[in-house]
Amino acid sequence: MAIPVPEKRVKEFEEMGFGMFVHWSLYALLGQGEWARYLRKIPREEYAKLADDFAVTKFDGRELARIAKRAGAKYITLTTRHHDGFSLYDTKGLDNFDAPHSAAKRDLIREFVDGCNAEGIKPFFYHTKLDWNHPTYHGDFKKYLQYLRDSIEVLCTQYGPIGGFWFDGNWDRPPETDWEDDQLYALIRRYQPDCIIVDNAGMHRMGQASNQELDSVTFEQGRPTPMDREGMPKYMAAEMCQTINQHWGYGKADFNYKSLAYLIETLCACRKVGANYLLNVGPDGDGVVPAMQAELMAGIGDWINTCGQSIYKAKPCGVTGTGKNFALRDGNKIYFYIHDLSVVGDANVVPEGGRAGEKAFSGLPGSVSNLHWVDNGEVLEFKQEGSELTMNCTGYPYGVNLVVRVAEADLEA
Ligand code: GLC
């Protein structure tokens, strides 16, 4: 059976490879994560009062786009409305629980989109489907779905071309619930034909598509598995989203950050199977991305610039390595991603030596030449017999440790 050919928008989405997720709403003022209202049972009226304090004087859409750009992310997926029901955009009177009616008195999505456009970053709109605030969500559900579609229509028509929609919350109701998704997605196709449509499957249905119209499956907080696309009616991309610490929304006292090394490895693990990596930041109550988060993002950008430019266009090609090592191909170039190398030094300064040496790969689709490290151009020795290749990976020069080091070679298929 054949693997379907991806539509242009899906191919372009895959080639963006890395995006920055942004969770931001009134809950940022509390600094206890985006589920604070629900989990702490904050009454509706009390929560709504936060809008009076949501002045967000330091929010700068362009700065947000710069943080993403510096990280090497090609798109930002921002919560235009999260489960708390508050909209960062001007709902045009659909519901006054929105940014223009808050202390901000501005359309924050306008600023976000303008900032992205100025920096060449694609804006994506996260939009919740479950709603803790709107009375119809637990009342006249049909009416709620109309409200949802009207909201999406506003987003489709007021901000120019956008990269995509990222829905969330279907997991809140039993699987047999009719969300009238066909109508919702058709609306987007009508106004924004080049938009990617994602609908988060949640943590319990990772990698599953609830509707054939979707352009990508999701792996929330998981490790994406290789997609078996044989015989699929349509080529769907894959995307894995992840928190940078333990919460999506700003958590003032969440110190449990992932390390930069872990984030680099995770980006690689996603690209290993051709999935996008959507890494989250949570701006604080003023609208500022916490320094720690911006720094980790910047570190990923440094890694990409040093040796990881191939993560965007290169694709899985059936080559397998041992352990976490893998290879990607882009036309007549092949890239080997090598993990766990050690620094070459002396026993008095380098704690762990010897994790360099020979690394084996199999499944090579052609003969390899001109194998060298991307970061410093050092040429590497290797042996190839048919589809088997063994390369002699030198360790890191003293002063360097890239976590994952990339070697590039020419491929003659
Ligand atoms: C989960 C959370 C939600 C978050 C989303 C991001 O669905 O409930 O708060 O926005 O994950 O993937």
Side-chain angles (χ1 to χ4, degrees):
M1 265 196 279
I3 295 175
V5 177
E7 283 170 76
K8 183 167 167 281
R9 63 170 183 274
V10 177
K11 181 172 182 283
E12 286 171 359
F13 178 63
E14 279 193 328
E15 290 183 352
M16 288 198 286
F18 177 39
M20 185 167 94
F21 213 171
V22 182
H23 274 71
W24 192 49
S25 181
L26 301 182
Y27 47 73
L29 290 167
L30 302 172
Q32 296 164 355
E34 80 289 356
W35 273 63
R37 170 179 172 160
Y38 181 88
L39 294 173
R40 294 179 174 248
K41 301 190 172 54
I42 303 173
R44 186 171 192 264
E45 294 67 37
E46 193 185 320
Y47 189 86
K49 281 196 203 119
L50 290 172
D52 303 335
D53 297 327
F54 199 64
V56 296
T57 46
K58 293 190 182 144
F59 176 74
D60 178 349
R62 180 115 191 220
E63 179 57 21
L64 197 63
R66 281 197 198 103
I67 291 173
K69 193 171 180 174
R70 167 89 171 77
K74 302 292 185 192
Y75 61 105
I76 300 179
T77 307
L78 169 65
T79 51
T80 58
R81 182 189 297 160
H82 201 255
H83 312 337
D84 65 358
F86 180 78
S87 304
L88 295 181
Y89 56 98
D90 181 351
T91 66
K92 302 279 174 196
L94 290 175
D95 188 82
N96 286 345
F97 196 40
D98 63 3
H101 292 87
S102 73
K105 295 193 171 58
R106 353 188 311 242
D107 181 342
L108 300 166
I109 294 304
R110 175 83 268 154
E111 295 175 16
F112 162 64
V113 171
D114 290 347
C116 284
N117 290 341
E119 294 294 331
I121 296 288
K122 275 253 185 286
F124 277 58
F125 292 165
Y126 168 110
H127 203 284
T128 190
K129 290 167 95 176
L130 102 89
D131 193 313
W132 295 326
N133 188 65
H134 207 270
T136 57
Y137 182 72
H138 286 295
D140 187 344
F141 190 54
K142 285 252 170 214
K143 211 165 165 189
Y144 171 76
L145 293 175
Q146 189 57 52
Y147 164 65
L148 175 64
R149 283 194 294 273
D150 292 344
S151 304
I152 298 306
E153 187 163 1
V154 169
L155 288 172
C156 279
T157 53
Q158 301 300 309
Y159 302 96
I162 55 165
F165 276 91
W166 207 101
F167 292 108
D168 188 25
N170 272 12
W171 40 263
D172 187 51
R173 287 183 171 236
E176 61 277 10
T177 304
D178 182 8
W179 289 89
E180 299 175 358
D181 283 331
D182 290 337
Q183 289 184 56
L184 180 67
Y185 306 152
L187 182 79
I188 297 169
R189 294 283 185 243
R190 186 154 73 239
Y191 290 112
Q192 298 265 354
D194 298 327
C195 246
I196 288 294
I197 305 179
V198 178
D199 204 326
N200 185 23
M203 292 198 280
H204 307 292
R205 309 178 81 88
M206 280 189 221
Q208 297 178 30
S210 53
N211 190 298
Q212 282 308 314
E213 197 56 41
L214 298 177
D215 293 313
S216 177
V217 296
T218 59
F219 291 86
E220 180 182 337
Q221 303 271 40
R223 268 284 179 284
T225 47
M227 295 276 288
D228 179 8
R229 298 188 172 91
E230 258 184 37
M232 271 192 178
K234 167 184 173 180
Y235 185 106
M236 284 188 197
E239 183 185 59
M240 192 272 252
C241 59
Q242 193 175 49
T243 53
I244 202 163
N245 48 12
Q246 303 301 311
H247 295 81
W248 300 102
Y250 178 54
K252 216 183 305 187
D254 180 353
F255 308 133
N256 200 347
Y257 278 95
K258 293 172 175 93
S259 71
L260 180 56
Y262 178 88
L263 298 174
I264 291 168
E265 284 204 3
T266 308
L267 171 63
C268 291
C270 288
R271 299 313 279 162
K272 175 183 177 178
V273 298
N276 285 17
Y277 183 37
L278 184 62
L279 179 61
N280 183 74
V281 298
D284 66 17
D286 291 328
V288 176
V289 175
M292 176 84 93
Q293 304 189 7
E295 282 302 320
L296 286 167
M297 282 287 168
I300 297 175
D302 288 345
W303 178 84
I304 293 174
N305 288 334
T306 306
C307 66
Q309 282 295 339
S310 55
I311 59 143
Y312 302 109
K313 292 221 164 114
K315 296 237 157 63
C317 57
V319 176
T320 51
T322 49
K324 286 181 274 186
N325 299 337
F326 65 94
L328 300 177
R329 176 180 179 178
D330 179 10
N332 59 0
K333 296 276 183 208
I334 184 154
Y335 298 89
F336 298 92
Y337 288 65
I338 312 294
H339 296 64
D340 296 325
L341 294 175
S342 55
V343 177
V344 177
D346 130 338
N348 292 311
V349 62
V350 176
E352 209 178 348
R355 281 193 286 125
E358 300 214 319
K359 308 284 174 194
F361 288 86
S362 49
L364 273 299
S367 57
V368 160
S369 60
N370 184 25
L371 180 70
H372 60 275
W373 291 127
V374 169
D375 60 285
N376 67 355
E378 181 190 344
V379 172
L380 300 174
E381 291 170 8
F382 68 96
K383 291 191 293 272
Q384 184 175 8
E385 276 172 41
S387 64
E388 307 284 313
L389 180 134
T390 312
M391 54 197 271
N392 184 21
C393 295
T394 51
Y396 292 115
Y398 181 73
V400 175
N401 190 322
L402 306 175
V403 183
V404 181
R405 197 173 190 187
V406 185
E408 181 190 280
D410 297 326
L411 183 71
E412 213 179 288

